[in-house]
Amino acid sequence: AHLLELVRDIPADRLMLETDSPYLTPRDMRPQPKARRNEPSHLPHILRTVARALGKPPEQVADETTRNAKEFFNLP
């Protein structure tokens, strides 16, 4: 829960999303995967959780974080 409070302090132009693959499956994910293995396919769940914490639509957070990742990693 404390991370959801802290995410609000990150400037929108600095925020990127990731999974902790293959570890640390999101605790609030229901149902929990049987393998208890985190995967990149869980990224939409993380996006929705972060967007909810920020009070923004998931599409907006996806656009912002994708733009940040592209700029940070110098991707086209």
Side-chain angles (χ1 to χ4, degrees):
H2 71 284
L3 295 177
L4 295 176
E5 295 173 17
L6 293 174
V7 76
R8 297 179 195 128
D9 295 332
I10 301 171
D13 65 342
R14 302 288 182 162
L15 182 64
M16 288 188 271
L17 301 178
E18 67 169 346
T19 64
D20 289 317
S21 274
Y23 308 105
L24 299 175
T25 302
R27 291 181 181 155
D28 64 340
M29 182 177 270
R30 298 290 181 259
Q32 281 285 318
K34 291 181 187 198
R36 302 287 295 171
R37 178 179 168 90
N38 199 4
E39 310 225 354
S41 64
H42 299 151
L43 203 54
H45 173 80
I46 295 165
L47 169 65
R48 289 188 300 272
T49 301
V50 170
R52 194 169 39 254
L54 295 174
K56 295 181 179 180
E59 298 81 12
Q60 180 181 348
V61 176
D63 289 343
E64 292 170 352
T65 56
T66 298
R67 184 173 41 254
N68 295 340
K70 286 180 175 181
E71 183 176 318
F72 183 84
F73 292 109
N74 197 29
L75 299 171

